[in-house]
Amino acid sequence: MNLPEVSEKLIEQLNHGNIKAFDKIYHTYYLYLCAIAVYYVHDKRVAGEIVNDVFVSFWQNRHHITHPPLPYLRRAIQNASVSYLRSSYFNEKLMTEQMEEIWAFLENHILSSDNPLQALEHSEMNTMIMKKVEELPAKCRAIFKASLYEGKSYSEIAEEQNINVATVRVQMKIALTKLRESLGIPYMIAILMFL
């Protein structure tokens, strides 16, 4: 994606507290940064809030911003998205060993990605993911869908399927391993975003 560049002069003006310079930078990058945030949090309203919060911080740190500002802004959006995902998800659902691994994997990928929108270029991603999920063994597939798509706890799944929680854990681990091997990182990230 080719974005308009902001000049070094504009950054100098920002450094000196010029609100018009800030406004120009804000309008230049707002939609792009929202797209990055939406990719991670899958909620336009939340993404807009994240971007606005990042721009508030950007203004507060205006004296230290250097040219070009986009790497700073992109990294700030990634960090804020990770913080949002952790706070909202971890406060709502009991962590399991597998979920901890998934979030660690997701966080590492987000924080190391130079092109967070790259995965969005794969238009058949959802179709491919669903195809691979449907290829899982029947019991494994049912447990995976119940956990990740329906948001059920391991205890609820165990009770519904008349199996023990340890079996649910093993089947989830098998599902995630198979999907990671067959899909690769961009698709695995998309799976994690369905949570």
Side-chain angles (χ1 to χ4, degrees):
M1 176 183 248
N2 290 328
L3 291 170
E5 296 248 348
V6 299
S7 67
E8 286 187 55
K9 183 178 180 182
L10 199 63
I11 297 302
E12 286 174 22
Q13 292 170 347
L14 172 76
N15 295 152
H16 291 99
N18 185 318
I19 194 71
K20 288 184 178 178
F22 172 80
D23 193 53
K24 172 80 172 156
I25 296 165
Y26 178 89
H27 286 95
T28 299
Y29 294 128
Y30 180 80
L31 289 178
Y32 173 73
L33 296 173
C34 279
I36 294 173
V38 166
Y39 172 64
Y40 294 124
V41 302
H42 282 249
D43 184 318
K44 288 180 185 175
R45 182 189 57 77
V46 171
E49 289 173 9
I50 287 172
V51 172
N52 284 329
D53 287 348
V54 163
F55 270 111
V56 167
S57 174
F58 183 77
W59 174 253
Q60 291 169 342
N61 292 306
R62 64 190 174 275
H63 304 296
H64 308 291
I65 301 298
T66 58
H67 186 269
L70 188 56
Y72 170 91
L73 289 167
R74 187 169 42 226
R75 182 65 63 197
I77 293 296
Q78 291 170 324
N79 290 339
S81 297
V82 167
S83 294
Y84 170 79
L85 290 171
R86 282 194 167 277
S87 65
S88 65
Y89 185 78
F90 291 156
N91 289 332
E92 290 173 12
K93 192 168 181 179
L94 187 64
M95 284 297 292
T96 65
E97 187 178 307
Q98 286 77 27
M99 295 310 293
E100 250 181 72
E101 287 178 26
I102 288 171
W103 282 104
F105 175 81
L106 174 60
E107 184 174 358
N108 287 338
H109 181 76
I110 289 173
L111 297 179
S112 65
S113 174
D114 287 331
N115 187 0
L117 295 182
Q118 187 174 20
L120 292 178
E121 296 168 4
H122 300 286
S123 59
E124 299 123 11
M125 183 175 287
N126 291 340
T127 306
M128 178 63 81
I129 289 169
M130 291 311 296
K131 181 177 178 231
K132 291 298 182 184
V133 168
E134 293 303 319
E135 291 174 5
L136 292 170
K139 181 187 250 186
C140 199
R141 179 174 64 242
I143 290 170
F144 181 82
K145 285 182 170 181
S147 176
L148 295 187
Y149 296 155
E150 297 169 27
K152 294 181 180 172
S153 71
Y154 284 10
S155 302
E156 290 171 321
I157 297 167
E159 190 175 323
E160 281 179 7
Q161 299 198 13
N162 202 22
I163 56 178
N164 64 42
V165 174
T167 302
V168 175
R169 287 182 188 277
V170 169
Q171 290 297 317
M172 276 296 291
K173 190 156 195 158
I174 290 169
L176 291 168
T177 300
K178 284 181 179 289
L179 291 170
R180 190 180 297 152
E181 288 170 357
S182 62
L183 292 170
I185 288 175
Y187 292 94
M188 202 61 197
I189 295 294
I191 288 172
L192 303 179
M193 294 286 79
F194 291 156
L195 296 172

